Amino acid sequence: MLITHDTRCALDAVVDLVNTAPEDGTADGLADLRALEAFVAGHRISDVGTLTELDLSAVRRLRGRFAAVFAATDTRIAAGMINELVAAAGTTPRLTDHDDYDWHVHYFAPGASVADHLAADCGMALAFFVVAGERERLRRCEAPDCRRAFVDLSRNRSRRYCDSRTCGNRLHVAAYRARRKEAAG
Ligand SMILES: [Zn+2]
Ligand SMILES: [Zn+2]
């Protein structure tokens, strides 16, 4: 499937957002306003004005909703969730060719809050996967102690683990063991 630059940025943002959620033992990656400011700057989310505690709680709520989309085992359920969060954000599709990028569509409404901006643009990026019949590429890492969200962009949709150091290594070890077993058998 064709993934444009902006879709790619939106995917990176939504994966990072979902993965800020505290899992057993890990700290909340969006613990305070400064963490949200760093997230916004890191993903170059433009035009969201001065961030407040309200933005922080809205983005945390949105994070839970996106996490549910990644955890969905059924496309119809995922589609329903994406529809709801995009509709709640309100969108204004606009063609743009900013910063020397080719023509593409921005979905967030002008002046949207950071949560609505993310819901619109990331929600639509996920929607394209449903449309392309590729919803299953939106995954959670299968390592039992990990569960990080990731988007599997491998050619044959074969990725099972996220690219964190531990899980990436686990993958190599598993492949190595499988090869040895094959050689021995
Ligand atoms: Zn753009
Ligand atoms: Zn992992």
Side-chain angles (χ1 to χ4, degrees):
M1 63 188 285
L2 172 74
I3 297 182
T4 60
H5 160 81
D6 265 51
T7 303
R8 189 61 195 258
C9 290
L11 289 175
D12 288 346
V14 69
V15 165
D16 278 0
L17 175 63
V18 169
N19 289 336
T20 62
E23 298 275 338
D24 350 294
T26 64
D28 190 333
L30 286 181
D32 54 26
L33 209 43
R34 280 187 51 194
L36 179 61
E37 283 162 2
F39 180 86
V40 165
H43 287 284
R44 294 194 288 170
I45 300 162
S46 56
D47 199 23
V48 290
T50 308
L51 300 171
T52 68
E53 293 290 336
L54 284 176
D55 289 311
L56 181 60
S57 50
V59 171
R60 283 207 198 115
R61 271 198 307 279
L62 180 66
R63 173 176 73 183
R65 300 179 76 177
F66 275 130
V69 175
F70 276 82
T73 50
D74 180 272
T75 301
R76 185 164 299 279
I77 292 172
M81 293 191 283
I82 294 168
N83 276 344
E84 267 178 40
L85 61 88
V86 169
T91 59
T92 310
R94 256 172 316 134
L95 279 161
T96 168
D97 62 348
H98 67 94
D99 296 325
D100 291 336
Y101 293 119
D102 278 340
W103 288 103
H104 61 277
V105 180
H106 282 177
Y107 293 92
F108 61 91
S113 70
V114 60
D116 285 348
H117 182 129
L118 287 167
D121 277 44
C122 299
M124 288 306 297
L126 300 186
F128 290 131
F129 280 76
V130 175
V131 171
E134 305 274 11
R135 199 266 316 163
E136 284 165 31
R137 290 185 184 275
L138 312 175
R139 302 236 175 107
R140 305 215 74 167
C141 180
E142 288 181 24
D145 49 352
C146 178
R147 309 296 297 150
R148 284 165 63 89
F150 70 94
V151 178
D152 179 4
L153 296 176
S154 69
R155 190 183 289 257
N156 54 0
R157 299 194 237 179
S158 58
R159 251 183 85 188
R160 295 171 55 209
Y161 302 106
C162 74
D163 55 9
S164 84
R165 205 172 192 161
T166 358
C167 301
N169 280 344
R170 191 192 309 259
L171 184 64
H172 294 311
V173 170
Y176 174 73
R177 288 211 183 110
R179 277 198 305 273
R180 291 245 311 208
K181 211 170 160 191
E182 214 158 80

